[in-house]
Amino acid sequence: MQPRVPSTDPVTPRTAGEMVKLAREFLQKKGLDEARLEAELLVAHALDLDRLKLFLQHDRPLREEEIVRARELLVRRGKREPTAYLTGKREFYGRTFLVGPGALIPRPETELLVDRAREIARGRAASDAPLARAADFGTGSGCLGITLALEIEDLSVFAVDASNEALAWARRNAEALAATRVEFGHGDGYALLAQHARAQGAFDLVVANPPYVGRDESADLAPEVRDHEPASALFAPEGDPDHHLVRLLDLTPSVLARSGTLLVELGHKQGTRAKPLAEARGLEARLHRDYGGIERVLEVRSSEPRDRPTG
């Protein structure tokens, strides 16, 4: 048998640094905006490293199987599969969440709900009325409910979703992050929240990131979102972006405890309609903008909130 001759193909990387360079150039040609970041994430994943270790090991020689694995990931990304699905994880509020098909990928703008919830919790603690019970409507990967349970002391969270696939990811994340104060429910979220409030007491906080994309807006979505993330978590029922917002507003008086708060993430065109919809129902409402200046979160309090039952 003849000894194997090392390849002199100029497009075959010899080191991790060369792989990152070629990966970045490939993703740039595919028109991806964050080619450098995604190249680092995908190559690091292929080499079983984090980004920092990859940076420190740019001169590391590559094995053939590592090159094959990296190329496979890059080809799939070039076909617009989401990077988070390819690596199986996404950062949210400083923690790593496991994600995959069937669960919406956590977004940075959703962290605004956590920021506001923490502010509310600090204010409640100062007035000797700490947040004790929260609900997460449409939990998906669990990023909101789990993060709230870990960030706010002694807060218990009831997280619900209609998708068994999504709940499987949420349960894995709760276990991986040791979020022991999170309970999950499967089924119609509105019915589950109402039942839970009647049986165990109304909620101090309800958070929701419901589907709010209208069918006529699907063409505006990136292919990795439109073609790969679960449609049930993206598109509003019957194409009405306000469907879930209206139902949540109607549910609010029956599930919120006194001084309770509802926080709902909004679509980028929804803010102008959201506050009037709340106020038309006699609810106190305010809007919070994200870092891009978009009215991203609706905060609601009931004018006649329900007390937590005694006894």
Side-chain angles (χ1 to χ4, degrees):
M1 179 181 293
Q2 293 294 323
R4 181 178 175 184
V5 178
S7 172
T8 58
D9 184 346
V11 299
T12 299
R14 295 168 299 173
T15 66
E18 290 181 7
M19 184 78 243
V20 171
K21 178 178 180 293
L22 290 171
R24 182 182 71 249
E25 293 171 352
F26 172 79
L27 295 178
Q28 285 173 337
K29 289 178 182 178
K30 293 294 181 178
L32 297 179
D33 293 334
E34 297 187 323
R36 179 174 181 174
L37 170 62
E38 296 200 31
E40 292 172 353
L41 289 171
L42 292 172
V43 172
H45 183 68
L47 303 185
D48 197 24
L49 300 171
D50 59 33
R51 285 179 67 204
L52 176 60
K53 289 182 179 178
L54 175 66
F55 179 77
L56 296 174
Q57 296 184 34
H58 265 206
D59 294 329
R60 164 184 164 171
L62 295 178
R63 301 190 301 273
E64 184 175 352
E65 62 268 24
E66 293 174 330
I67 297 173
V68 170
R69 190 158 58 241
R71 282 176 169 167
E72 288 176 348
L73 290 172
L74 289 163
V75 168
R76 292 171 64 187
R77 183 66 187 106
K79 294 178 179 178
R80 306 307 287 265
E81 284 191 51
T83 296
Y85 284 178
L86 295 175
T87 63
K89 57 191 177 184
R90 171 59 65 89
E91 295 298 310
F92 183 83
Y93 222 81
R95 296 181 178 86
T96 299
F97 280 80
L98 306 174
V99 292
L104 195 70
I105 297 170
R107 265 72 169 177
E109 55 266 28
T110 304
E111 295 185 354
L112 182 58
L113 278 83
V114 181
D115 288 339
R116 183 59 193 141
R118 293 181 64 196
E119 291 171 358
I120 292 168
R122 286 194 290 269
R124 291 276 301 252
S127 64
D128 200 29
L131 290 181
R133 286 171 39 75
D136 178 14
F137 176 90
T139 192
S141 66
C143 63
L144 263 179
I146 291 169
T147 300
L148 290 175
L150 295 173
E151 291 288 330
I152 300 175
E153 187 176 4
D154 296 329
L155 181 70
S156 296
V157 178
F158 181 49
V160 301
D161 205 291
S163 167
N164 268 321
E165 279 187 290
L167 283 173
W169 288 107
R171 290 189 174 102
R172 287 178 64 188
N173 282 316
E175 181 177 0
L177 295 169
T180 58
R181 297 194 308 276
V182 182
E183 175 188 354
F184 295 101
H186 172 247
D188 181 331
Y190 300 104
L192 289 171
L193 262 59
Q195 292 167 8
H196 209 270
R198 286 195 298 269
Q200 300 190 35
F203 298 101
D204 301 305
L205 174 69
V206 175
V207 297
N209 179 16
Y212 49 65
V213 179
R215 290 290 175 181
D216 60 339
E217 299 176 283
S218 63
D220 298 332
L221 297 177
E224 42 268 84
V225 177
R226 182 184 62 244
D227 300 336
H228 295 279
E229 296 194 62
S232 60
L234 290 169
F235 296 106
E238 303 171 4
D240 177 10
D242 298 331
H243 174 90
H244 285 295
L245 173 62
V246 168
R247 292 196 65 183
L248 285 164
L249 292 172
D250 289 340
L251 184 69
T252 293
S254 65
V255 301
L256 277 185
R258 187 173 299 280
S259 300
T261 304
L262 168 70
L263 298 173
V264 184
E265 181 172 323
L266 305 173
H268 70 285
K269 299 178 181 178
Q270 216 175 351
T272 56
R273 303 189 303 272
K275 189 176 179 183
L277 284 170
E279 292 173 341
R281 288 161 172 78
L283 301 168
E284 300 175 12
R286 59 185 294 200
L287 293 164
H288 300 277
R289 296 180 183 272
D290 63 17
Y291 293 116
I294 296 171
E295 293 174 328
R296 182 63 67 183
V297 173
L298 177 70
E299 178 178 339
V300 168
R301 292 193 181 187
S302 174
S303 58
E304 295 182 359
R306 170 182 170 179
D307 284 320
R308 194 179 286 114
T310 58

